[in-house]
Amino acid sequence: MGGQADAEVDRVLDAGMARVHDLVTARLGEDPALRRLQAEIESEGQPPDTWTVRRAELAVAEAVERDPAFAERLRESLAEVDKARRAAGEPAFQVFGNVEFHADGGSLAAGVITGPVTLGNPPRPETDGR
């Protein structure tokens, strides 16, 4: 059952993000900052340059400022995504094996664990963690 719920949450989040993407690209599709961001995302699997991301953010912010109808549609779409994200619960990850924190040169290494912790072998997928 948990797998089906996770799949449904993923589907809703993906659909919401697709709506946001479609809305932004319909409004800013020819904007050089957005085109460059898309090209950087698609090239070599590297994260986009920080400045490229910032320029795209500024282009969206300007469109929001100049176009109230776009701003409202974007707010609504982002609210739907946020609602689905909150329904999914807090982000989580699983680690199978050792986890090690290390701090050098006056830095600080710390971690916080919330929620259930299982020690030992990972649950088998076919048992839904039971």
Side-chain angles (χ1 to χ4, degrees), residues 52-94:
T52 302
V53 172
R54 184 68 182 134
R55 284 190 289 270
E57 289 171 345
L58 290 170
V60 172
E62 182 179 8
V64 163
E65 185 178 303
R66 293 178 183 261
D67 185 345
F70 169 72
E72 184 58 29
R73 288 191 311 272
L74 184 59
R75 264 190 226 90
E76 289 170 359
S77 295
L78 290 171
E80 288 174 20
V81 169
D82 188 56
K83 181 179 176 183
R85 183 196 53 77
R86 282 185 278 115
E90 291 297 317
F93 67 94
Q94 295 178 342

Side-chain angles (χ1 to χ4, degrees), residues 32-127:
L34 198 63
R35 285 198 324 249
R36 182 172 178 155
L37 178 63
Q38 187 67 38
E40 287 184 18
I41 289 170
E42 292 172 353
S43 71
E44 303 177 28
Q46 297 295 318
D49 180 76
T50 303
W51 286 109
T52 302
V53 172
R54 184 68 182 134
R55 284 190 289 270
E57 289 171 345
L58 290 170
V60 172
E62 182 179 8
V64 163
E65 185 178 303
R66 293 178 183 261
D67 185 345
F70 169 72
E72 184 58 29
R73 288 191 311 272
L74 184 59
R75 264 190 226 90
E76 289 170 359
S77 295
L78 290 171
E80 288 174 20
V81 169
D82 188 56
K83 181 179 176 183
R85 183 196 53 77
R86 282 185 278 115
E90 291 297 317
F93 67 94
Q94 295 178 342
V95 175
F96 302 113
N98 297 330
V99 176
E100 191 174 309
F101 292 96
H102 180 77
D104 276 335
S107 62
L108 173 68
V112 175
I113 299 173
T114 60
V117 175
T118 303
L119 301 176
N121 292 326
R124 295 189 324 231
E126 67 272 10
T127 62

